[in-house]
Amino acid sequence: MVYQADPLEDDLQPLTMRDAWAAHLSDLVDADPRLAVVLADISSDMFTDAMKAHPDRVINVGIREQLLIGAAGGLALAGMRPVAHTYAPFLIERAFEQVKLDFEHQGTSGVLVTVGASYDWAEGSFTHFSPRDVALFDTLPGWRVFVPGHAAEVPPLLDRAVQAEDGVYIRLSLRHNENPYAVPDGKLLVLREGKRATVAVVGPLLDNVLEATADLDVTVAYTNTPRPLDTAGLRELAAETGDAIVVVEPYLEGTSAWLVSRAYEDRPHRLLSLGVGREELRRYGTAAEHERLHGLDAEGIRARVRAFLA
Amino acid sequence: MMLSMDTTFEQVRELALRSVTDVRYPIVKTYTLDALWVLYDRVLRVDPNRPDDPDRDRFLLSKGHGPSAFYAVLAAKGFFPAAWLDGIATLESRLGSHPDATLIPGVEMSAGSLGHGLPLAVGTAHGLRATGRTGSRVFVLVGDAELDEGSNHEAIAYAGALGLANLDVIVADNDSASHGWPGGIASRFEVNGWSAATVDATDHEALYRSFTTAHPDRPHVTVAAYRP
């Protein structure tokens, strides 16, 4: 079977997050004998040389997502640091019991890296969307979640993920900001200061937020490491904006609301959660069009933030 | 009771029965006891004094339901005191109706949900090879009904294609799969290039021969058929 087009390619980006991830991971595998990579056909063509060089550490199990996670868990049992990768819905949702039992219940961990995000391949529709992935990780203890906003943010995040002891989920997307940002470890990066609300935005939605709030009197803070969420930093910023908070995240709307709520047990606050809608759109089209339909383009974000401030 | 090096199979059976009476799990059986005893007594290179030795062989009990036989063998081999077999699955016990690897010395895998052990064993086999532990083998025990889970067939096809020679599967076959295995369980592995043997689950010599069969370029399965 010949695929006519790879939906993960992007003509507009000379280097996608996935390109940056694969290139850097191949270098890391050469340098670190404890590192292993498990693939399930997706992206395997980007690791041809690495598979030849390290046949037991860089493996492609074929289209077998249960084995993808199980084999990664087994590598962890043998003392390795496994990186497992495929499309987000197949890795996180289809094989979620493997994620739960083959890492957490074994007392091990690994790095899980996905592509596809919430609507990257809009032409492919809901089978390839995974807006609920981060919410699922919130049901597991201790997992970190990294959501880069630009290809250049990927290598340093991957370095941190590989060196960590905990489980790490890295969510790659074709959606991206124009420029990369160096976010201080685990903290919110303040890009703009205002008085009426603190807008915390995750990963590739930053540019839309900056455009949407250009003339609004709000603080804008960015993160590409939403788990653990820097709620202490958020509280500090929000204290200067009347404890009015907007969280904009490129996955299921409200995913982080429980963490904000927990951080404010002792203090009244207002929260607007913006993210991907719960319902299937049952539409095709482009990722940019889906972003607009979910109200996550600059215009949609601006309208809801203004209503929140009114 | 402290058991010595020359513990007999009958003593291990007594230990297994001792735990059975305490387990509230309704279908506890000890039909895996023969295979487990042969494995731990004569085949596996494991040391209760060094249960985390990186060069050890690995045994993964995938079929974690009713682990009485497994607990008995581990106790007999000195991985934990036989007294642990009393009060199994109570709040204070480290031993439960499904083993937890983080609680019990010598247990490689936390089990209970079916279909997880064989994929984990595939990864462990790769990991041992990748770290140069070419002398270490991985054994995993699954049930014939457990083979219903599709995850096993993902692993069987892959391990056969790769020729993972440091992987051994034991199928404890008590004919309990709801829809059976037409053509026999061994053929399900052989079609993917595995070496296979079907033996009487109570025949210690036959089990030993299969567990020690040379299979230098492919994984091996022992179908231990229990037909009382």
Side-chain angles (χ1 to χ4, degrees):
Chain A
M1 190 173 185
V2 177
Y3 291 96
Q4 294 303 316
D6 183 343
L8 297 176
E9 293 294 320
D10 187 339
D11 295 341
L12 301 176
Q13 287 182 79
L15 181 76
T16 64
M17 290 183 197
R18 186 171 66 141
D19 295 328
W21 164 74
H24 192 53
L25 184 54
S26 295
D27 289 344
L28 292 178
V29 164
D30 286 339
D32 181 355
R34 205 179 138 243
L35 197 56
V37 181
V38 191
L39 305 164
D41 275 3
I42 299 292
S43 308
S44 62
D45 57 339
M46 305 172 99
F47 291 90
T48 310
D49 293 339
M51 280 193 270
K52 276 184 196 147
H54 313 288
D56 279 302
R57 286 200 290 128
V58 183
I59 63 176
N60 174 21
V61 299
I63 306 169
R64 297 184 172 93
E65 285 84 15
Q66 297 184 75
L67 180 60
L68 171 74
I69 305 299
L75 284 157
L77 284 179
M80 316 281 287
R81 180 73 170 164
V83 180
H85 163 77
T86 189
Y87 247 97
F90 314 149
L91 194 155
I92 307 304
E93 294 172 318
R94 188 181 191 124
F96 190 68
E97 199 217 14
Q98 269 77 17
V99 175
K100 181 182 86 168
L101 295 184
D102 296 355
F103 289 114
E104 179 196 344
H105 190 49
Q106 306 303 328
T108 65
S109 71
V111 182
L112 307 180
V113 182
T114 65
V115 287
S118 292
Y119 39 66
D120 273 7
W121 188 30
E123 302 94 320
S125 84
F126 203 64
T127 56
H128 286 60
F129 297 173
S130 190
R132 302 158 188 173
D133 51 356
V134 177
L136 280 169
F137 274 102
D138 276 349
T139 69
L140 302 172
W143 280 78
R144 302 187 196 193
V145 177
F146 296 171
V147 182
H150 188 282
E153 295 173 15
V154 173
L157 289 176
L158 182 59
D159 286 337
R160 280 167 59 184
V162 164
Q163 287 156 18
E165 293 294 321
D166 306 328
V168 181
Y169 175 49
I170 304 181
R171 185 185 210 257
L172 306 179
S173 177
L174 290 175
R175 307 301 293 163
H176 65 99
N177 304 310
E178 192 178 340
N179 298 306
Y181 291 86
V183 182
D185 194 354
K187 304 284 183 210
L188 289 165
L189 175 69
V190 179
L191 296 175
R192 191 182 282 162
E193 288 187 84
K195 295 210 165 49
R196 299 193 57 205
T198 296
V199 183
V201 53
V202 176
L205 287 173
L206 174 62
D207 281 359
N208 292 3
V209 165
L210 289 174
E211 186 186 337
T213 60
D215 60 348
L216 302 180
D217 185 15
V218 296
T219 291
V220 176
Y222 172 70
T223 185
N224 53 21
T225 57
R227 296 291 182 274
L229 187 65
D230 177 19
T231 49
L234 184 63
R235 264 182 74 124
E236 231 169 84
L237 294 172
E240 306 299 317
T241 65
D243 291 316
I245 298 163
V246 182
V247 174
V248 186
E249 39 199 355
Y251 31 81
L252 187 67
E253 185 166 296
T255 297
S256 294
W258 72 282
L259 287 167
V260 177
S261 172
R262 197 173 67 176
Y264 274 89
E265 282 174 3
D266 62 333
R267 199 158 98 190
H269 70 288
R270 295 176 64 220
L271 171 65
L272 170 66
S273 294
L274 300 184
V276 178
R278 197 166 290 266
E279 303 294 329
E280 277 193 56
L281 297 179
R282 298 197 184 277
R283 301 283 291 275
Y284 299 100
T286 66
E289 288 167 332
H290 278 242
E291 207 152 272
R292 176 170 59 77
L293 291 173
H294 285 291
L296 293 173
D297 62 342
E299 199 184 332
I301 292 170
R302 179 179 172 79
R304 288 187 68 186
V305 172
R306 287 189 64 181
F308 181 69
L309 296 177
Chain B
M1 174 166 62
M2 190 66 203
L3 296 164
S4 64
M5 291 286 286
D6 54 358
T7 308
T8 67
F9 182 64
E10 286 313 313
Q11 287 173 301
V12 181
R13 189 194 299 277
E14 277 174 33
L15 287 175
L17 293 174
R18 168 174 168 179
S19 66
V20 166
T21 56
D22 286 329
V23 175
R24 290 173 293 170
Y25 201 86
I27 56 164
V28 170
K29 296 193 175 82
T30 55
Y31 66 91
T32 57
L33 187 64
D34 298 80
L36 291 172
W37 180 246
V38 171
L39 203 54
Y40 273 85
D41 195 45
R42 300 171 67 183
V43 179
L44 287 180
R45 295 178 312 127
V46 290
D47 180 353
N49 298 313
R50 301 178 64 207
D52 296 323
D53 181 353
D55 290 318
R56 71 194 183 278
D57 290 335
R58 268 65 164 184
F59 171 72
L60 278 62
L61 179 72
S62 183
K63 192 198 80 67
H65 296 319
S68 307
F70 185 42
Y71 291 157
V73 169
L74 289 177
K77 285 297 174 189
F79 283 92
F80 52 77
W84 286 22
L85 297 171
D86 301 324
I88 285 182
T90 59
L91 189 61
E92 304 304 326
S93 176
R94 284 169 172 264
L95 312 184
S97 293
H98 298 152
D100 184 329
T102 69
L103 298 178
I104 314 168
V107 173
E108 302 283 359
M109 169 197 172
S110 302
S113 175
L114 299 175
H116 287 263
L118 193 34
L120 282 169
V122 165
T124 305
H126 266 303
L128 291 174
R129 294 198 333 183
T131 49
R133 301 197 162 86
T134 50
S136 300
R137 300 168 69 190
V138 183
F139 285 81
V140 56
L141 187 145
V142 301
D144 66 305
E146 183 182 11
L147 280 181
D148 288 355
E149 296 282 3
S151 53
N152 291 302
H153 300 276
E154 294 188 4
I156 291 166
Y158 174 78
L162 262 284
L164 277 180
N166 58 343
L167 177 64
D168 267 74
V169 170
I170 302 161
V171 180
D173 172 18
N174 65 342
D175 200 21
S176 60
S178 288
H179 300 286
W181 289 103
I185 290 171
S187 71
R188 181 65 198 82
F189 287 80
E190 284 169 322
V191 75
N192 283 110
W194 288 57
S195 158
T198 300
V199 303
D200 180 333
T202 61
D203 182 340
H204 291 200
E205 285 312 310
L207 288 165
Y208 177 75
R209 276 197 304 277
S210 184
F211 295 162
T212 54
T213 295
H215 48 95
D217 59 351
R218 60 192 62 206
H220 178 71
V221 61
T222 300
V223 180
Y226 183 72
R227 300 286 188 272

